[in-house]
Amino acid sequence: FITTSVSRGRARATGMLLDGAVVCRAGGAAEQCLSRGISSDQRPKRPLTAYLRFVVENRSAFREKNPEASNLELIKKIAGAWKELPASQKQVYEEARKTDWKRYGEQMAAYKAQLTPAQTAALKEERRKQLAKRRSMRAKRELNLLGKPKRARSGFNIFLSENFQRSEGISPVAKLKKLYDAWQKLSTSQKQPYLQLAEDDKVRYENEMKSWEAKMVELGREDLVRSRKQRLKKKPAETAKQAETAKASSGGNKAKLKLKKSEE
């Protein structure tokens, strides 16, 4: 057992309560408990880069000079000012970063030294998940910038978007549940218009993807193109149906051949 200083409410969900502290069990929910217990203000903060230091120091002054500018426009102005800043002035910010980075290394070493092996493992796992999430977000942003077509919608998704706004419900989750129940109660004939729209959307998606992938090949981004196996992937039901048809056809051909031989 490892004791951490998290709240009583959280303790009931992740471990046992003992004299106001939480005792986390090994495995499962304990990893969340450990992770939350050590992801606190006690952990040293990573120092800012030279550029971010410049942004923090000058943001207020730029805002006063450009009160009507949006946040994006303001950042562009600050970035432009940083780009034009002489190397000697940039060096001041860089030296401050190096000093803080050295202090950060010493603080992290002291912080990690007090952790148990289980807490260290939980920290590594938390870091791994954070990096994976960042990579996923960067990949999505890149695909949006490259204009990747939106995936085809299902019949239920089309039904959902059509009825969500006027659906009754206290929260979005309540609305979603209510619409899902309504979808389940629809007859096959009532679902058919939505299913047909979904099929049409699949055709749209495949056509747009073919054009987009051809463009990616021209740009040298073959890594974004689906493999042949993915493009030709079929639904199990369709594959089974085709296999059954082929088998029946093969059986019929064999019967005709036997009949022909017997006549000879």
Side-chain angles (χ1 to χ4, degrees), residues 16-27:
M16 297 191 308
L17 195 64
L18 182 62
D19 296 331
V22 181
V23 181
C24 297
R25 297 182 183 277

Side-chain angles (χ1 to χ4, degrees), residues 106-119:
E106 293 170 353
Q107 291 174 344
M108 276 301 293
Y111 175 73
K112 289 180 178 180
Q114 68 180 349
L115 300 177
T116 65
Q119 288 174 323

Side-chain angles (χ1 to χ4, degrees), residues 170-196:
I170 300 174
S171 66
V173 175
K175 285 186 175 184
L176 183 62
K177 187 178 184 306
K178 188 170 184 178
L179 286 171
Y180 176 76
D181 292 339
W183 172 260
Q184 292 294 95
K185 293 176 182 177
L186 291 180
S187 65
T188 303
S189 59
Q190 289 174 318
K191 287 182 179 179
Q192 187 54 40
Y194 299 102
L195 297 176
Q196 184 58 54

Side-chain angles (χ1 to χ4, degrees), residues 7-37:
S7 66
R8 285 175 173 268
R10 190 176 295 170
R12 294 190 185 94
T14 56
M16 297 191 308
L17 195 64
L18 182 62
D19 296 331
V22 181
V23 181
C24 297
R25 297 182 183 277
E31 289 185 5
Q32 297 177 8
C33 178
L34 286 167
S35 178
R36 284 194 286 259

Side-chain angles (χ1 to χ4, degrees), residues 82-96:
W82 171 259
K83 189 175 181 179
E84 295 174 2
L85 199 68
S88 58
Q89 293 184 38
K90 285 183 178 179
Q91 188 60 31
V92 175
Y93 292 98
E94 183 60 29
E95 290 299 326

Side-chain angles (χ1 to χ4, degrees), residues 77-135:
K77 289 180 180 294
I78 297 174
W82 171 259
K83 189 175 181 179
E84 295 174 2
L85 199 68
S88 58
Q89 293 184 38
K90 285 183 178 179
Q91 188 60 31
V92 175
Y93 292 98
E94 183 60 29
E95 290 299 326
R97 182 199 69 80
K98 288 180 180 178
T99 301
D100 276 3
W101 190 262
K102 183 179 179 181
R103 186 186 304 117
Y104 169 74
E106 293 170 353
Q107 291 174 344
M108 276 301 293
Y111 175 73
K112 289 180 178 180
Q114 68 180 349
L115 300 177
T116 65
Q119 288 174 323
T120 301
L123 266 180
K124 287 183 178 179
E125 178 61 17
E126 182 182 27
R127 180 64 177 166
R128 185 192 67 77
K129 289 179 179 179
Q130 288 175 347
L131 291 175
K133 186 176 180 180
R134 288 177 190 173
R135 283 194 294 269

